[in-house]
Amino acid sequence: MALPSIALPGQLLGTADKYLPGPGTHIHSSSIYASIGGPVTTSPTPKTTAAKPSPLLSIQRPSPSASPGVLGTGSGGGGTILPQVNSVVLALITRLGPRFATCEILVIDSIVCRESFQGQIRREDIRATEKDKIVMQDSFRVGDLVRGTVISLGDQSNYYVSTSENEFGVVVARSEEGRLMYPVSWREFRDPVSGKHESRKAAKPF
């Protein structure tokens, strides 16, 4: 189906197999719906090991007025927003290490970034309990879309992100076969076709 140029709240926009849900949208039964009314936009996501990265589907919101963390506006209207401490972000996992996951920040406080920012989620910032038992591969996989909050600006080129609160964690995950999975607990997602469970630090749904 073709994307509408303007959506109404509750309108079907597309399937989660083709798009990632962005600001102003939500997933229900593997389909993406508009949560608010407004112009529909798509944004490319950084390339990952996945064969075909999915574009980010969003409903455009009014541009925020200039404030700390927002640079001067250009002729296109709107500014370039920067991550700030306590900003809620959506980030794509691009690399895993034994101590941290590297991610690309795509959305800041419900505003799609004009360019992505690099972030890190350290092992001790993944969850609030049993931090010594955390295994990175059981929390995230490359290609996962994660909701988190910025806890440190670092050196302004590598922001530290936390998913320790219940509402933060993986919001979109695909199985090893490439199918969109759904969460069955705070620590597991399930492939709807094979029934296979995979470990993730899942975000609590709104």
Side-chain angles (χ1 to χ4, degrees):
M1 61 177 291
L3 285 176
S5 57
I6 298 178
L8 298 175
Q11 183 174 347
L12 174 64
L13 301 177
T15 64
D17 288 333
K18 294 183 179 180
Y19 301 99
L20 294 175
T25 71
H26 64 275
I27 288 183
H28 178 70
S29 298
S30 298
S31 294
I32 301 177
Y33 294 85
S35 299
I36 61 174
V40 179
T41 62
T42 58
S43 305
T45 55
K47 292 183 178 180
T48 67
T49 56
K52 188 178 180 182
S54 301
L56 191 72
L57 184 60
S58 309
I59 304 296
Q60 186 174 334
R61 297 172 183 266
S63 298
S65 58
S67 61
V70 180
L71 304 183
T73 60
S75 59
T80 301
I81 188 170
L82 296 174
Q84 299 291 304
V85 173
N86 296 325
S87 292
V88 175
V89 300
L90 285 177
L92 190 72
I93 302 296
T94 57
R95 189 168 67 250
L96 289 180
R99 299 283 309 173
F100 60 85
T102 301
C103 60
E104 293 287 338
I105 297 173
L106 307 176
V107 178
I108 303 170
D109 292 328
S110 299
I111 300 171
V112 178
C113 302
R114 290 185 176 179
E115 60 182 31
S116 62
F117 299 92
Q118 182 168 297
Q120 281 189 357
I121 306 174
R122 297 172 297 187
R123 190 174 69 173
E124 59 267 28
D125 297 324
I126 292 176
R127 68 177 189 235
T129 61
E130 297 183 320
K131 296 183 178 183
D132 57 324
K133 297 181 180 179
I134 293 174
V135 177
M136 296 302 300
Q137 289 285 345
D138 290 342
S139 303
F140 309 119
R141 300 287 177 88
V142 172
D144 287 351
L145 188 68
V146 175
R147 183 194 305 127
T149 185
V150 176
I151 57 174
S152 172
L153 303 183
D155 57 4
Q156 296 292 328
S157 64
N158 200 20
Y159 298 89
Y160 291 119
V161 177
S162 171
T163 61
S164 61
E165 297 182 39
N166 291 341
E167 64 266 32
F168 299 138
V170 177
V171 293
V172 176
R174 295 184 183 275
S175 66
E176 293 179 353
E177 291 77 21
R179 287 184 289 268
L180 188 73
M181 298 189 293
Y182 61 91
V184 293
S185 72
W186 70 269
R187 61 192 307 172
E188 281 189 327
F189 276 73
R190 182 181 180 184
D191 186 313
V193 176
S194 68
K196 181 179 178 182
H197 289 243
E198 293 186 17
S199 296
R200 296 289 201 281
K201 198 286 183 180
K204 183 179 180 179
F206 287 138

